[in-house]
Amino acid sequence: MDAESGNGSAAVERHAGWNELFFDLIAVAGVGQLAHLLHSGPDWAAVGLYGLLFGAFWLSWACFTVYGDVVAERTSSSALFVAMAGMAVMAAAVEGVHEDARANAFALAYVLLRWYAGRLWRQGRSLLVVPDWPVAQYGAGAVPWLVSTVAPEAWRYWLWGAGLLVDALLLLVARDDRERVAARWAARRERHRGGPGARPLPELREAGVDAAHLGERLGLFMVIVLGEGVVQVIRAASDQEHWDLRLAWTALAAMTLLASLSVLSVRRGAAAFPQLVAGGHPRRVMLCHAVGSAALAALAAGLGRAVEHADGVLPDDTRRLLCAALACYFAVTLAAVLSELPELPEPEGRGRLRGVLLHTVPAVLLPLVLALLPVSLAAGPVVLLLLLATLWARGYRTGRAERAG
């Protein structure tokens, strides 16, 4: 298997192109539709459905984003447009997804996008293999979604969950046995060559991601998610009949919380995670990004509800959603940073460990304690306490963050 250096060794730093930014417009629409699932009083069923739909939508976006990252200037604009069309179907089907027709439309669009994304890795006479993104070559996770279109309705969500679990496990445990894969593919090419009228199988070529460019793309997705929070806050404030001081300071606290998360996610870390060093393991980073972005989109929906209830008591289900979402985001951040510590030099690793534990663990624990309180609370104080947890997490600054200001 020939090695292809990919874009990571390019001398010129890459940034998101116009076609990639246009492709991200579908993420804006999709995140808005998904956040709406949690806007009208979330319960466990709504949260579970939200997680399944967000996971499938994010994975569709990620498949084409990694494709564009790897092939760079060879990215097909028509392929991105086809992806946008399929994801538009998924986004449109979110509202009313309990209906069979819309659920099947969502599932079929997802399956077709996974199949189409897999086809794109054949570049001319070569088939690109990306060890950092094994989902490119394995579509087993889409099979349960296809089965769900003909299975009994009671099985539907279990099958969707099983499909996402297969892909998550693939990212975590897939072996990078390059020599074995190359040998098996060479043997298959040899057998195929001897068949009557058979076209030769493509040559297997290894390709790598451009870590800096991919990190920028993940950060842009997180900005889109935080932007949905801004939209929710503005919409909720504009719908209020009476504007008063409680509405003003609740909305201000919500906007400040989103701004603080933006600083943490984009400026003080990598791949949209605070304190993460650039160039980490793409598989782990991508999995963390899926969960972290889902948590922040849920937070966005909760902030809209909080502003709606600025003049009174925040419903307990919304308080728990807000607190659990922020705690989940910081827990994922903690897991991402801890996973890279063993690879750092000993003195630097110990210093980062102390800083991460001091500033990230409280940011996880405070929202959890707030969620478990047996009393109801006003919306403003809840948002303010979540802001304080985020500001505490901002207290840790790596040398890179210090230089960035």
Side-chain angles (χ1 to χ4, degrees):
M1 179 166 56
D2 295 332
E4 188 172 286
S5 61
N7 306 312
S9 60
V12 179
E13 183 179 0
R14 285 178 59 202
H15 293 284
W18 290 111
N19 58 343
E20 292 175 306
L21 295 175
F22 182 71
F23 171 66
D24 282 348
L25 291 177
I26 195 62
V28 176
V31 169
Q33 289 287 93
L34 291 162
H36 186 71
L37 288 175
L38 303 175
H39 187 70
S40 57
D43 54 23
W44 285 111
V47 171
L49 179 61
Y50 163 80
L52 293 175
L53 299 182
F54 192 99
F57 188 86
W58 178 91
L59 191 54
S60 299
W61 174 86
C63 282
F64 291 92
T65 295
V66 175
Y67 154 73
D69 175 80
V70 171
V71 304
E73 68 278 357
R74 290 174 289 165
T75 301
S76 168
S77 297
S78 60
L80 295 183
F81 179 78
V82 170
M84 291 182 70
M87 293 174 68
V89 173
M90 295 172 69
V94 167
E95 188 172 352
V97 76
H98 293 289
E99 302 172 7
D100 288 346
R102 296 196 180 207
N104 288 339
F106 186 97
L108 284 174
Y110 173 65
V111 171
L112 290 173
L113 284 177
R114 290 291 302 275
W115 170 81
Y116 182 63
R119 298 275 297 178
L120 293 175
W121 293 106
R122 180 161 180 170
Q123 299 282 304
R125 296 182 179 181
S126 300
L127 177 65
L128 300 185
V129 176
V130 187
D132 294 325
W133 185 246
V135 174
Q137 270 71 46
Y138 297 96
V143 174
W145 289 78
L146 182 61
V147 174
S148 73
T149 61
V150 295
E153 183 180 352
W155 296 7
R156 176 182 299 151
Y157 300 143
W158 294 104
L159 287 168
W160 290 3
L164 293 179
L165 181 61
V166 168
D167 287 318
L169 291 175
L170 183 63
L171 285 174
L172 283 174
V173 304
R175 294 190 303 171
D176 187 13
D177 192 349
R178 308 183 187 192
E179 293 183 0
R180 181 177 61 86
V181 171
R184 291 179 59 182
W185 186 260
R188 183 180 174 187
R189 288 189 73 197
E190 189 64 29
R191 291 195 304 270
H192 189 77
R193 185 180 302 166
R199 297 177 60 185
L201 290 178
E203 178 186 4
L204 210 60
R205 297 181 64 86
E206 183 181 316
V209 300
D210 182 336
H213 175 261
L214 182 60
E216 181 186 73
R217 301 289 290 119
L218 298 177
L220 287 171
F221 187 92
M222 201 66 82
V223 170
I224 289 170
V225 170
L226 292 171
E228 176 59 26
V230 174
V231 171
Q232 294 278 354
V233 171
I234 293 174
R235 182 177 297 160
S238 68
D239 289 341
Q240 299 307 299
E241 184 176 352
H242 300 290
W243 283 19
D244 55 21
L245 186 59
R246 284 184 295 182
L247 173 63
W249 79 271
T250 301
L252 178 60
M255 294 292 285
T256 308
L257 172 59
L258 292 168
S260 297
L261 287 169
S262 175
V263 171
L264 279 172
S265 300
V266 180
R267 293 180 58 190
R268 296 193 183 173
F273 286 103
Q275 307 163 12
L276 191 67
V277 175
H281 291 284
R283 290 193 197 182
R284 293 201 298 258
V285 169
M286 294 294 284
L287 192 57
C288 289
H289 187 272
V291 180
S293 58
L296 287 192
L299 179 76
L303 287 176
R305 289 266 292 170
V307 174
E308 285 180 0
H309 293 83
D311 59 347
V313 173
L314 185 66
D316 289 342
D317 56 1
T318 301
R319 169 168 58 93
R320 296 189 186 102
L321 173 68
L322 280 167
C323 295
L326 190 64
C328 179
Y329 175 72
F330 282 119
V332 172
T333 292
L334 183 62
V337 175
L338 290 179
S339 69
E340 70 177 6
L341 288 180
E343 301 169 18
L344 297 177
E346 186 63 23
E348 181 183 353
R350 285 200 306 270
R352 282 180 59 80
L353 178 61
R354 286 194 300 268
V356 167
L357 294 180
L358 176 61
H359 290 281
T360 306
V361 171
V364 175
L365 294 181
L366 177 58
L368 291 180
V369 171
L370 187 59
L372 297 175
L373 289 178
V375 296
S376 297
L377 299 172
V382 170
V383 178
L384 182 60
L385 287 170
L386 296 181
L387 172 59
L388 291 176
T390 304
L391 292 176
W392 179 264
R394 283 185 60 176
Y396 176 71
R397 297 170 69 90
T398 64
R400 177 179 178 272
E402 291 284 355
R403 291 191 297 272

